[in-house]
Amino acid sequence: MQWRPDRRTFLKTGVAGALLGPRMHASAADAGPRPVVVSSGNGLAAAAKAMELMEQGSDTLDAVIAGVNIVENDPNDMSVGYGGLPNEDGVVELDSCVMHGPTHRGGAVAALRNIKTPSNVAQVVMERSDHALLVGEGALRFAQVHGFPEVDLLTDRARQAWLRWRENLSTSDDRLPPHAPEDRDVGSATPLSERDYGTISCLAVDSAGDISGVTTTSGLSFKIPGRVGDSPIFGAGLYVDNEVGAAGSTGRGEANLLNCSSFAVVEFMRNGASPEEACLMACQRIVDHNKVARLRDDEGRPRFGVSFYAVSKAGQHGGASIWGPMRYAVNVGGESAHHDGAHLYMRG
Ligand code: GLY
């Protein structure tokens, strides 16, 4: 059974103390199923595809990328790849990061335009360059050289959503006037929790305990052009350590960039936390560091959401969100299903 405390229980049980506490040791009872695929809530089909490929002998990285390709290529998913919501100027800019545990290699692209599947480009960055991250025009030229077809990523549906925002809500953007950290009524009139940070995370552990992960997104809707979130940044939106486990994230990327959150989740697991505990601890770390008044509600809670997904080398999995309810996708034995995760606060 998964441990699912409310915030009070979480603080009382002292799990937060494990952030700096002595190393704990996972027991054999902590082993989960292997192979296993863990994904964000929008990843049921991705997890099924990844598992299908692993069962046919695919490497974990090829498997998770093929999984998220389903969502990247889906014009009806407005948060990832083709059909994703555009930036402030109406241009779709994609971010993605991949990590291959057995070789501890990774590749990433940020603010990539015109390519449907940034996760595939990220894999080619990993395999065919001596770099880990390419951005913008350079990332596009790299993709062109490697034969990726260029397409207009802006579907009519996404264009109309952008036009509505542009015509009606143009004061609800990410630009801030001069202000102090303690100023509350500053910036966007739209509650941050209502901005679309949609993303897909997919992590896999094979029967031998080898691990890979991918995160891919069109990022924050209507963002300032050139804005890069956590998804293409190692340690922020994704981290894999083949000896420990992997973590991925969805939600407000700025919070993960400022807290190296996915790296923290893996380090918490290294120190003995279960995947769910580790995800919850990363949520708490964000809350503890969220000191800017405009990002806090009347009770000091974040006015934004972040979710984490994690899997250990042994195959144990878990997830947690700052705001519940939280659920994530898991595939074991070919069956994808949603599992409940933990949360710090429940939306009213
Ligand atoms: N987590 C996705 C983003 O902030 O872009």
Side-chain angles (χ1 to χ4, degrees):
M1 201 172 85
Q2 304 244 333
W3 181 65
R4 195 162 302 109
D6 60 17
R7 178 180 161 76
R8 179 180 299 178
T9 310
F10 171 69
L11 295 172
K12 266 174 62 182
T13 52
V15 171
L19 298 176
L20 296 173
R23 185 185 173 89
M24 300 184 287
H25 295 280
S27 71
D30 293 331
R34 279 195 334 212
V36 60
V37 182
V38 176
S39 189
S40 38
N42 55 348
L44 284 175
K49 182 71 182 178
M51 181 59 76
E52 179 191 326
L53 291 179
M54 281 200 299
E55 283 174 346
Q56 292 167 9
S58 285
D59 178 82
T60 48
L61 185 58
D62 294 329
V64 292
I65 290 174
V68 299
N69 282 167
I70 295 171
V71 183
E72 289 177 322
N73 282 309
D74 180 357
N76 294 316
D77 186 306
M78 298 177 83
S79 67
V80 176
Y82 179 56
L85 288 170
N87 66 18
E88 210 180 61
D89 291 343
V91 178
V92 181
E93 292 187 332
L94 306 178
D95 296 341
S96 182
C97 170
V98 303
M99 279 193 81
H100 184 245
T103 56
H104 203 75
R105 290 180 302 160
V109 289
L112 174 66
R113 300 181 175 191
N114 296 358
I115 307 290
K116 276 184 169 181
T117 56
S119 63
N120 291 107
V121 184
Q123 185 178 24
V124 179
V125 170
M126 182 187 91
E127 292 177 345
R128 300 291 296 276
S129 84
D130 192 34
H131 303 316
L133 170 62
L134 295 178
V135 306
E137 178 64 25
L140 175 58
R141 281 174 32 205
F142 183 82
Q144 290 166 334
V145 164
H146 282 279
F148 284 87
E150 279 191 77
V151 291
D152 182 355
L153 299 178
L154 189 68
T155 57
D156 202 47
R157 190 166 161 227
R159 183 186 59 74
Q160 286 179 20
W162 170 76
L163 200 57
R164 275 196 302 279
W165 171 82
R166 190 83 179 159
E167 288 174 345
N168 301 313
L169 297 169
S170 57
T171 56
S172 296
D173 60 24
D174 297 310
R175 295 170 194 272
L176 303 174
H179 68 286
E182 55 274 14
D183 290 344
R184 285 181 67 83
D185 297 323
V186 63
S188 172
T190 305
L192 286 164
S193 57
E194 291 176 16
R195 295 296 296 279
D196 190 341
Y197 289 96
T199 299
I200 183 165
S201 160
C202 193
L203 315 167
V205 185
D206 68 14
S207 52
D210 282 330
I211 312 167
S212 290
V214 57
T215 303
T216 180
T217 188
S218 52
L220 174 64
S221 54
F222 318 137
K223 59 196 172 185
I224 295 174
R227 179 264 188 187
V228 172
D230 60 321
S231 302
I233 305 300
F234 304 102
L238 174 71
Y239 196 69
V240 177
D241 183 322
N242 210 52
E243 297 310 309
V244 177
S249 183
T250 58
R252 180 175 161 84
E254 284 73 9
N256 285 336
L257 287 167
L258 292 171
N259 289 283
C260 302
S261 303
S262 292
F263 178 75
V265 172
V266 173
E267 292 306 298
F268 295 149
M269 289 195 290
R270 188 193 305 281
N271 284 320
S274 73
E276 184 175 282
E277 290 165 355
C279 291
L280 204 53
M281 291 156 83
C283 291
Q284 185 64 45
R285 177 71 62 84
I286 290 172
V287 171
D288 293 345
H289 282 164
N290 186 40
K291 300 179 192 301
V292 175
R294 69 184 175 82
L295 299 176
R296 295 160 62 100
D297 70 11
D298 291 342
E299 295 175 45
R301 303 169 303 182
R303 291 181 61 225
F304 56 82
V306 177
S307 299
F308 295 102
Y309 319 93
V311 64
S312 71
K313 187 173 180 67
Q316 225 191 352
H317 56 80
S321 292
I322 293 177
W323 289 98
M326 189 276 177
R327 61 181 199 165
Y328 62 101
V330 178
N331 190 293
V332 176
E335 288 295 317
S336 281
H338 279 125
H339 287 236
D340 290 332
H343 59 266
L344 289 180
Y345 312 109
M346 185 60 88
R347 289 189 193 283

